[in-house]
Amino acid sequence: MILNADGSKPIYVQIAEWLEAEILNGNFETDQKVHSQYQLAEIFNINPATAAKGLNILVDENVLYKKRGLGMFVNQGAKEIILRKRKDYTLKKLVLELVEEAARLHVDEEELVNMIRSLGKGDQR
């Protein structure tokens, strides 16, 4: 993954989202140790404090837990927490933007739903 330092999303948020993706992809399992802030800093060439901030977001959301002196580990139910958050926040935000754009373009609900179904079936027209 390449971080976007010029984007609107802070680097620490990008770190948290990258770790979430790694958990969802099965690269980190329940109770498995994740990269330390120093490892993340080295991997992404960022300040360790920035990496720590990304890790702490996931601790605050109960995706990760700390073992004093040992590091951060994937919490039980982490995948479900991430999926619920992404559905409830990310996906709903995208759908809202889509619906708003459709309204600006005078695309009615039926046409929009048909577009979504068409793309869901692999039709890229």
Side-chain angles (χ1 to χ4, degrees):
M1 178 188 153
I2 298 173
L3 299 176
N4 184 358
D6 298 328
S8 62
K9 195 176 289 186
I11 291 175
Y12 65 90
V13 172
Q14 293 177 57
I15 293 293
E17 289 177 349
W18 177 78
L19 283 166
E20 287 178 344
E22 292 293 295
I23 292 167
L24 288 176
N25 291 333
N27 295 328
F28 292 109
E29 298 292 335
T30 300
D31 295 322
Q32 185 177 353
K33 184 176 180 176
V34 298
H35 300 298
S36 72
Q37 70 187 60
Y38 300 106
Q39 290 169 321
L40 290 169
E42 189 173 318
I43 291 168
F44 294 108
N45 197 26
I46 59 172
N47 187 304
T50 302
K53 200 168 179 180
L55 287 166
N56 285 324
I57 287 173
L58 298 179
V59 170
D60 292 344
E61 294 176 352
N62 292 317
V63 171
L64 300 179
Y65 65 93
K66 296 179 185 181
K67 281 188 181 179
R68 189 177 181 133
L70 296 176
M72 305 265 192
F73 296 80
V74 178
N75 216 346
Q76 186 171 356
K79 283 184 180 184
E80 292 77 18
I81 291 169
I82 296 165
L83 288 171
R84 185 173 51 249
K85 178 180 84 168
R86 289 191 176 192
K87 284 179 186 176
D88 289 348
Y89 177 73
T90 308
L91 202 53
K92 283 184 181 178
K93 181 180 171 194
L94 290 169
V95 169
L96 177 60
E97 290 172 7
L98 176 65
V99 168
E100 288 172 347
E101 183 65 13
R104 282 191 288 275
L105 298 173
H106 306 289
V107 173
D108 66 23
E109 182 179 330
E110 183 179 347
E111 185 179 358
L112 183 58
V113 169
N114 287 336
M115 285 180 184
I116 293 168
R117 285 189 179 128
S118 166
L119 289 172
K121 294 177 183 173
D123 183 1
Q124 300 298 317
R125 287 186 274 146

